[in-house]
Amino acid sequence: MKNIRKVVIPVAGHGTRSLPASKNVPKEMLPIYNKPVIHYVVDEAVNAGIENVVFVTSKEKTALEDYFDHHYALEDVLERTGKKELLKTVQELAHYVNVISVRQKCQLGFGHAVLTAKPVVGNEPFGVMVGDDILLGKDCGLKELIDIAEKENKPVIGVMEVDPSMVCKYGIVAGNKRPDGIIEITDMVEKPKVGEAPSNMAIIGRYVLPPEIFDYLENAKPGHGGEIQLTDALNLLAKERGMLAVPVKGRRFDAGDLLDFLSVNMYFALHDGNMKDAMKKRLQSLLQEFE
């Protein structure tokens, strides 16, 4: 598990949790503070040393590819109006990372989306990231997983502890916890019923996997929801090869969840030195309406 330079980001879904905002705009392009959701995800990948981002996309999601490309008409306007800093920001996006897109023509589940990237990934280890999961913090998320995968030479997935009442929303892992906090996985269950989960350690959409995962996905049968589930393939891989779960650092926001979406915008505003005080006053004013 060396030289991990590609990451697969499935983004073909309809974004039903974000409707109606995502009716004509991909949910990954909805703005958080002054950037779209996908920018923060790709930021994390680039910080981890990723050179090639593989979007598993659909015909409605070309805006994601366009975002990381030149927009010559806009650049011309910014240049003519002397907005040099904005021009630099827009132009840098086109050189930020190499973007490769593959079409998931039939949406048959998250595992199927990852399998769709096989011709591009080839026979090398790679990362997988969920396109609406944002992790904020120094060197957190994918970089943590890559460092451990290269050191341990094993597949690695990111996990976080969740309230037991929320296990039905996640893939859940069970295993033996080492002194360093890493979990040696013995079992995984996709969205178990509350009270039936093997733990409350939830998979949060960050993975470092070997190319062998494609063999398991090609032979996978539909699981939870009648879809090809990545968790089912990971479970088989873990039992045959071994797999580690790493409790990731940082603060996580699920941009597809309305409360998290609103919260992360406030998070950035409160961390902006020019906006922090004004935002605090605005929030205090709003809260007075409910006293």
Side-chain angles (χ1 to χ4, degrees), residues 172-244:
I172 301 295
V173 306
N176 303 311
K177 190 173 183 179
R178 305 189 328 195
D180 59 4
I182 295 174
I183 300 167
E184 296 176 345
I185 296 173
T186 57
D187 195 16
M188 278 182 273
V189 183
E190 180 65 22
K191 297 180 179 178
K193 293 181 180 179
V194 175
E196 298 180 6
S199 78
N200 65 332
M201 297 303 295
I203 303 170
I204 52 101
R206 297 294 187 270
Y207 314 78
V208 176
L209 305 174
E212 289 82 6
I213 191 63
F214 294 126
D215 297 331
Y216 293 90
L217 289 169
E218 286 174 334
N219 294 299
K221 296 179 180 180
H224 182 87
E227 298 182 332
I228 303 299
Q229 296 292 347
L230 179 61
T231 301
D232 294 339
L234 291 175
N235 203 8
L236 292 173
L237 178 63
K239 291 177 190 261
E240 293 186 12
R241 175 170 173 170
M243 185 177 296
L244 303 175

Side-chain angles (χ1 to χ4, degrees), residues 245-279:
V246 176
V248 297
K249 298 179 295 185
R251 183 180 288 273
R252 173 181 175 261
F253 294 95
D254 176 1
D257 176 83
L258 183 57
L259 181 59
D260 267 13
F261 182 82
L262 296 172
S263 297
V264 69
N265 275 283
M266 288 188 288
Y267 175 91
F268 278 110
L270 292 170
H271 281 76
D272 183 330
N274 296 321
M275 193 182 296
K276 178 177 66 175
D277 292 339
M279 176 56 72

Side-chain angles (χ1 to χ4, degrees), residues 143-203:
K143 185 174 185 348
E144 293 178 80
L145 304 192
I146 288 177
D147 289 345
I148 292 168
E150 292 184 342
K151 178 183 177 182
E152 303 269 356
N153 194 31
K154 285 186 177 181
V156 178
I157 64 176
V159 294
M160 277 189 171
E161 190 173 0
V162 297
D163 188 276
S165 65
M166 301 295 288
V167 294
C168 58
K169 297 180 178 292
Y170 297 91
I172 301 295
V173 306
N176 303 311
K177 190 173 183 179
R178 305 189 328 195
D180 59 4
I182 295 174
I183 300 167
E184 296 176 345
I185 296 173
T186 57
D187 195 16
M188 278 182 273
V189 183
E190 180 65 22
K191 297 180 179 178
K193 293 181 180 179
V194 175
E196 298 180 6
S199 78
N200 65 332
M201 297 303 295
I203 303 170

Side-chain angles (χ1 to χ4, degrees), residues 120-142:
V120 177
V121 172
N123 191 33
E124 59 183 272
F126 64 104
V128 177
M129 303 175 76
V130 174
D132 55 6
D133 241 3
I134 297 175
L135 283 172
L136 302 175
K138 181 176 175 56
D139 295 337
C140 69
L142 191 63

Side-chain angles (χ1 to χ4, degrees), residues 41-189:
V41 178
V42 172
D43 269 349
E44 182 187 329
V46 171
N47 184 58
I50 295 297
E51 298 170 356
N52 297 290
V53 170
V54 182
F55 287 139
V56 180
T57 185
S58 62
K59 63 181 181 180
E60 294 88 7
K61 296 294 189 83
T62 56
L64 280 80
E65 305 161 49
D66 294 341
Y67 180 75
F68 293 99
D69 200 350
H70 281 288
H71 189 318
Y72 291 111
L74 174 60
E75 291 173 23
D76 181 62
V77 169
L78 294 174
E79 186 169 14
R80 285 190 287 106
T81 55
K83 297 179 179 179
K84 295 183 179 180
E85 286 301 314
L86 286 175
L87 175 62
K88 181 181 177 183
T89 298
V90 170
Q91 289 177 329
E92 284 177 347
L93 284 171
H95 305 284
Y96 188 50
V97 71
N98 185 40
V99 170
I100 305 165
S101 290
V102 294
R103 286 277 181 96
Q104 185 186 16
K105 297 178 182 179
C106 297
Q107 294 177 32
L108 304 177
F110 187 56
H112 179 262
V114 174
L115 179 59
T116 303
K118 179 181 177 180
V120 177
V121 172
N123 191 33
E124 59 183 272
F126 64 104
V128 177
M129 303 175 76
V130 174
D132 55 6
D133 241 3
I134 297 175
L135 283 172
L136 302 175
K138 181 176 175 56
D139 295 337
C140 69
L142 191 63
K143 185 174 185 348
E144 293 178 80
L145 304 192
I146 288 177
D147 289 345
I148 292 168
E150 292 184 342
K151 178 183 177 182
E152 303 269 356
N153 194 31
K154 285 186 177 181
V156 178
I157 64 176
V159 294
M160 277 189 171
E161 190 173 0
V162 297
D163 188 276
S165 65
M166 301 295 288
V167 294
C168 58
K169 297 180 178 292
Y170 297 91
I172 301 295
V173 306
N176 303 311
K177 190 173 183 179
R178 305 189 328 195
D180 59 4
I182 295 174
I183 300 167
E184 296 176 345
I185 296 173
T186 57
D187 195 16
M188 278 182 273
V189 183

